[in-house]
Amino acid sequence: MSAKNEILVGLDIGTTKTTAIVGEVTENGIDIIGIGTSPSKEMRKGAVVNIDNMVEAIKTAVDEAEHMSGCRINSVYVGIAGNHVKGQNSLGIVSIKGREVDEDDVQRAIEASRAIAVPVDREIMHILPQNYVVDGQDGIKDPKGMSGVRLEAKVHIVTAASSAIQNIIKSVNRVGLDIDDIVMEQLAATEAVLSLDEKDLGVALIDIGGANTSIAIYAEGSIKHTAILPLGGNYITSDIATGLRTPLNDAEEIKLKYGCALTSMISKEETIRVPSVGGREDREVSRQILGRVIEPRIEEILSFAFKEIVRSGFEDLLAAGVVLTGGTALLPGIVELAEQVFDMPARRANPTGVGGLTDVVNSPAHSVGVGLIVYGSKQMEGASVYGKKINILGRIFRSFKKWILDFF
Ligand SMILES: Nc1ncnc2c1ncn2[C@@H]1O[C@H](COP(=O)(O)OP(=O)(O)OP(=O)(O)O)[C@@H](O)[C@H]1O
Ligand SMILES: [Mg+2]
């Protein structure tokens, strides 16, 4: 690590909860030292509906995280999701005039890959190098020192709606914080849950949250495909509320306590108490009936994720199978159901690779928050070109906020 005991904060603004996680980067790695969470209100499909609610949620989460860690938080790595976030592969080609490839050539080739048509209302968030081609020889991880006349960089480019980026910057700045970088959520999650072996062998990360299911496919050690589907655990809660005729809050509680993604795993004798609406008496309902409401919905989410993977063309490269994370991955039976749907090995993943208060982040729901810190620590080691760009924007909004406060 280039700096010792740096404090990095991951801010995951999810559709169901906003979480700030504080990590301390030591010479031995990252220690988690604090966490704060606030339920998100009025967030739909990853898009901010109400800035005031978002600001309030960020403030609550950050205050709590500051309190627990005993650290003052000045800046954060923020996750971005929603179906406006899109990934696509691109190619950058440069001439190297028959000499050895150097770092400059690599940067020029990556820069050249930016030449894709980006609509005016969208911005490039990430340019993620996959591999390089020198004079037609493909699959090169590091082309530096090779001789040739033509260098191609294969990259994965992530773009997002400018309005969503501006909303994030505005909300974070209104809490008085700077932004270190804005990171595609599933990219952050991969940092916390995938092993290098899985990335080499080929793996699909599937983060099933409240309103979004985010997918990232790795093969041959680099990111190949990303996608976000507007599906998640909140729909299961609505189905339970409708199917068992019970209020939404009770449906959510029932899902967390008794939910199961595979009806065949539930014994016939088990029953649960279901509150009724309109002051009627609670009812005893077979837990299998609850399973029959949940199973088709989870199967549908997993099937859409599978279709997306098939569409990407990388289905046959996933020797390490699928890794499920996000709050909805906590549902018992979901791993078994995923193995049936994908016909591949599956596992449930909590964030790993960090020390300190690991118990407070030991849930698939914290993969993005922890992953943002890991992502940040890697950027400390290298250049954070895009972080700096956002940071400048952040400062503009910060001074704007100060100007408003001074004015009124
Ligand atoms: N033990 C559990 N069993 C089943 N579902 C659960 C459990 N715990 C949380 N969930 C569900 O997980 C979802 C929230 O997951 P998560 O915290 O990853 O979402 P989020 O990051 O806020 O949302 P998104 O990523 O979609 O913006 C909710 O639908 C919640 O009901
Ligand atoms: Mg999430």
Short mmCIF file of all heavy atoms in Angstrom, two decimals, residues 12 14 17 185 207 209 368, ligand 2:
data_model
loop_
_atom_site.label_atom_id
_atom_site.label_comp_id
_atom_site.label_asym_id
_atom_site.label_seq_id
_atom_site.Cartn_x
_atom_site.Cartn_y
_atom_site.Cartn_z
N ASP A 12 -23.22 2.77 -0.04
CA ASP A 12 -24.10 2.00 -0.93
C ASP A 12 -25.51 2.57 -0.79
O ASP A 12 -26.16 2.38 0.24
CB ASP A 12 -24.05 0.52 -0.54
CG ASP A 12 -25.03 -0.33 -1.34
OD1 ASP A 12 -25.59 0.18 -2.33
OD2 ASP A 12 -25.23 -1.51 -0.97
N GLY A 14 -28.74 1.91 -1.72
CA GLY A 14 -29.57 0.86 -2.33
C GLY A 14 -31.01 1.30 -2.37
O GLY A 14 -31.37 2.35 -1.83
N LYS A 17 -31.97 0.19 1.42
CA LYS A 17 -31.20 0.74 2.53
C LYS A 17 -29.99 1.51 2.02
O LYS A 17 -29.46 1.21 0.96
CB LYS A 17 -30.72 -0.39 3.48
CG LYS A 17 -30.04 -1.55 2.74
CD LYS A 17 -28.64 -1.78 3.17
CE LYS A 17 -27.93 -2.88 2.45
NZ LYS A 17 -27.67 -2.77 1.03
N GLU A 185 -22.15 -0.63 -9.14
CA GLU A 185 -22.30 -1.45 -7.93
C GLU A 185 -21.77 -2.87 -8.05
O GLU A 185 -21.06 -3.36 -7.17
CB GLU A 185 -23.76 -1.49 -7.49
CG GLU A 185 -24.13 -0.21 -6.80
CD GLU A 185 -25.42 -0.31 -6.04
OE1 GLU A 185 -26.11 -1.34 -6.15
OE2 GLU A 185 -25.73 0.64 -5.33
N ASP A 207 -26.04 -10.03 -8.08
CA ASP A 207 -26.39 -9.33 -6.85
C ASP A 207 -27.89 -9.04 -6.90
O ASP A 207 -28.34 -8.21 -7.68
CB ASP A 207 -25.57 -8.03 -6.76
CG ASP A 207 -25.96 -7.15 -5.57
OD1 ASP A 207 -27.09 -7.27 -5.07
OD2 ASP A 207 -25.14 -6.32 -5.15
N GLY A 209 -30.80 -7.47 -5.11
CA GLY A 209 -31.13 -6.54 -4.03
C GLY A 209 -32.62 -6.40 -3.85
O GLY A 209 -33.37 -7.37 -4.00
N VAL A 368 -21.61 -4.79 -1.64
CA VAL A 368 -21.30 -3.56 -2.38
C VAL A 368 -20.55 -2.58 -1.47
O VAL A 368 -19.52 -2.03 -1.85
CB VAL A 368 -22.59 -2.91 -2.96
CG1 VAL A 368 -22.28 -1.53 -3.53
CG2 VAL A 368 -23.19 -3.81 -4.04
MG MG B 2 -27.73 -3.20 -3.69
#
